[in-house]
Amino acid sequence: MHIPSGDTALLDLVPFDGALRAALAPSPDYDTTQWLYVPNYYGEYRYILGTRGEHPLICIGVNPSTAAPGDLDPTLKSVERVALHNGYDSFIMFNVYAQRATRPEDMERACNAALHAENMRAFDYALSLDKSGAPAVWAAWGAVIEKRDYLPRCVRDMIAVGEKRNARWFSAGKRTKAGHPHHPLYLRKDSPLDPFDVGAYLDALK
């Protein structure tokens, strides 16, 4: 369980570029040839957690919890299984908002613009890792997107970043009555990815 210590605006944020440089260097804590973990330590926010490959499936949740390299929670284990079943050689767990909180109810009430900006730089980097030129983005946030009113706005910024990288959006499993994409937990490992019009989805949100 991770409960935020306070608003991220009070933190001295590590910019994504600097955090990435540190994450690419050898680490005594995990194999950096296998894992991408940015920042490369446990803290109040996380930009990226995933495995290395040339054709990753980028899964988008709402916000990070406690997972770390070699210590995946049930949600990330499901993400990895679905990615491998659908022909991807790796996965990246990304989030609409980078603040770490096991319970979405504990997320900060206002969006930290500085943290969001660094998270968008991280998203652009994650998209750049796919060598096909058309990275796959799996929307998987469920109804949790309703927890904070700034979250859909963050997703719109992600769409704009993705358009420059020719990103293709998908969902997996049955969507909710409100149209939210299914959360990865409890999905069958052989769940296929279905095309997802994320822009139309956001337009339909009340």
Side-chain angles (χ1 to χ4, degrees):
M1 176 73 70
H2 185 96
I3 300 175
S5 62
D7 289 346
T8 60
L10 302 177
L11 301 175
D12 186 13
L13 292 178
V14 177
F16 172 72
D17 290 345
L20 176 63
R21 285 194 295 270
L24 295 177
S27 170
D29 300 320
Y30 61 93
D31 184 355
T32 57
T33 66
Q34 178 183 358
W35 293 96
L36 182 61
Y37 186 40
V38 191
N40 62 346
Y41 54 85
Y42 190 94
E44 291 294 320
Y45 55 93
R46 187 186 78 210
Y47 298 126
I48 292 173
L49 171 60
T51 53
R52 291 186 177 276
E54 295 190 348
H55 190 39
L57 177 60
I58 305 171
C59 181
I60 312 297
V62 164
N63 68 307
S65 184
T66 61
D71 186 21
L72 300 182
D73 57 26
T75 294
L76 268 76
K77 289 179 181 177
S78 179
V79 169
E80 185 172 38
R81 289 192 295 267
V82 171
L84 294 176
H85 171 77
N86 281 278
Y88 297 89
D89 65 0
S90 53
F91 79 92
I92 290 176
M93 189 68 215
F94 196 80
N95 291 277
V96 177
Y97 197 64
Q99 183 188 31
R100 195 187 295 268
T102 300
R103 298 178 304 192
E105 293 82 1
D106 292 331
M107 293 174 64
E108 52 199 359
R109 295 287 176 179
C111 177
N112 178 350
L115 179 62
H116 175 59
E118 295 303 326
N119 204 39
M120 292 303 95
R121 291 186 179 92
F123 185 51
D124 185 63
Y125 174 78
L127 294 170
S128 77
L129 295 175
D130 188 284
K131 305 306 181 185
S132 73
V137 181
W138 172 15
W141 47 73
V144 183
I145 197 81
E146 298 178 357
K147 292 294 182 180
R148 294 290 183 266
D149 60 7
Y150 57 79
L151 294 173
R153 296 196 299 271
C154 292
V155 175
R156 288 197 184 277
D157 289 343
M158 296 178 72
I159 294 173
V161 173
E163 286 176 347
K164 297 178 182 178
R165 294 283 187 181
N166 299 313
R168 298 167 298 139
W169 287 79
F170 299 92
S171 66
K174 186 178 180 181
R175 296 172 197 163
T176 71
K177 290 182 178 179
H180 299 304
H182 201 292
H183 190 276
L185 197 59
Y186 307 125
L187 276 179
R188 292 170 54 98
K189 68 179 181 179
D190 59 352
S191 296
L193 296 174
D194 303 311
F196 182 55
D197 188 337
V198 63
Y201 155 77
L202 289 175
D203 290 341
L205 287 182
K206 296 180 179 179

